[in-house]
Amino acid sequence: ADLEADVALARHLHAMPRWCWAERGDARELLLEDGVHPLMAQPAPLSLSLHERGAFVSGQNASGKSTFLRMVGLNAIAARAFGFCYATRACLPALPVRASMQNEDSLLGGESLYMSELRRARELLDAAGQPPGICLVDEVFRGTNHLESVSAACAVLEQLAGRDLVLVSSHNLVLAPLLRERLAPYFIDTASGSPVLAPGVLRNPNGIALLATQGFGARIEGRAAEVARWLSSHLEQPEPV
């Protein structure tokens, strides 16, 4: 059985266009050079280097934020289980991977989206640091209003990041400056046509621009842009709290 498993892994790696043996790093360090998602037919390679701080990842709609988090998680699991990664170079801690992704409401279970998100966040907090892990969080607290979503997300992520290496993606860009002591800001830049993970916070969101592609009309698009400018002037650079 061991021989068959080894042969199966060798065949799998032989068929992969990109892989490397993973180095073992400290609990709060993570390096992936040209990491790819192994289950995608034509994945775009992305690189990430973290030291002490986790990562806050922003990006336009459909830029690949969720796919990026899954890529990191799959590589971390492969490195821990088999010693290799789908990258040109990798150095990852041998830690468990915990995630909160694709939380949904449940009519059968009588659980709203926000209650589902709260339950999973509580589970992550209970497990954090016992032992330390890599924690992946996608679009935290979508199920409540913007003010309370940001407030709850800030408090939960700060505590998680104090014990685990946290990577979070979010459209709530105001979280980036609030969490900068714990999470380094990155954004997926698609301007060149090929995604690149760059330092900083997204400056050109496309949520309102997509209204035009769906035929909402100039009146709605203009009003949405006006409200967005007003909100941005109040929320873009909050003071630390």
Side-chain angles (χ1 to χ4, degrees):
D2 288 342
L3 179 59
E4 289 179 354
D6 290 343
V7 170
L9 281 174
R11 287 175 174 169
H12 169 69
L13 292 178
H14 181 70
M16 298 301 296
R18 179 183 282 105
W19 70 275
C20 67
W21 296 114
E23 304 169 34
R24 293 301 187 198
D26 295 335
R28 302 190 71 82
E29 293 186 5
L30 186 151
L31 170 69
L32 280 173
E33 291 185 1
D34 295 328
V36 296
H37 193 306
L39 303 181
M40 296 182 67
Q42 294 181 319
L46 292 172
S47 299
L48 172 69
S49 179
L50 299 177
H51 178 71
E52 294 301 327
R53 289 191 295 171
F56 178 90
V57 182
S58 56
Q60 293 185 339
N61 291 281
S63 62
K65 299 185 299 299
S66 300
T67 301
F68 170 73
L69 290 186
R70 292 186 176 94
M71 181 273 286
V72 173
L74 286 169
N75 274 286
I77 292 169
R80 189 180 185 208
F82 305 114
F84 64 80
C85 282
Y86 304 94
T88 55
R89 185 187 170 209
C91 182
L92 300 98
L95 298 176
V97 176
R98 308 179 184 110
S100 177
M101 305 182 80
Q102 288 189 316
N103 293 295
E104 301 292 345
D105 58 355
S106 171
L107 291 175
L108 184 63
E111 187 176 60
S112 69
L113 170 59
Y114 188 50
M115 292 305 296
S116 172
E117 291 179 312
L118 290 176
R119 174 178 52 78
R120 185 55 183 154
R122 180 71 261 173
E123 292 169 351
L124 293 178
L125 286 169
D126 289 343
Q130 302 177 14
I134 299 171
C135 188
L136 309 175
V137 182
D138 187 30
E139 293 299 345
V140 60
F141 297 150
R142 296 172 296 145
T144 189
N145 68 79
H146 181 266
L147 178 62
E148 292 182 314
S149 171
V150 170
S151 303
C154 180
V156 168
L157 292 171
E158 278 182 343
Q159 186 154 331
L160 270 180
R163 292 180 279 177
D164 286 350
L165 185 63
V166 173
L167 288 83
V168 60
S169 73
S170 179
H171 286 292
N172 281 335
L173 303 183
V174 69
L175 282 170
L178 290 171
L179 295 167
R180 59 180 172 261
E181 296 299 321
R182 298 284 191 182
L183 304 178
Y186 292 89
F187 72 102
I188 297 180
D189 185 359
T190 58
S192 66
S194 297
V196 175
L197 191 69
V201 182
L202 178 70
R203 294 299 180 189
N204 299 299
N206 65 340
I208 293 175
L210 289 176
L211 291 173
T213 68
Q214 302 301 312
F216 280 84
R219 182 175 181 180
I220 291 177
E221 295 160 28
R223 178 57 176 162
E226 179 184 3
V227 173
R229 286 191 295 270
W230 181 86
L231 286 172
S232 296
S233 67
H234 287 73
L235 299 176
E236 188 173 21
Q237 294 295 334
E239 293 296 324
V241 292

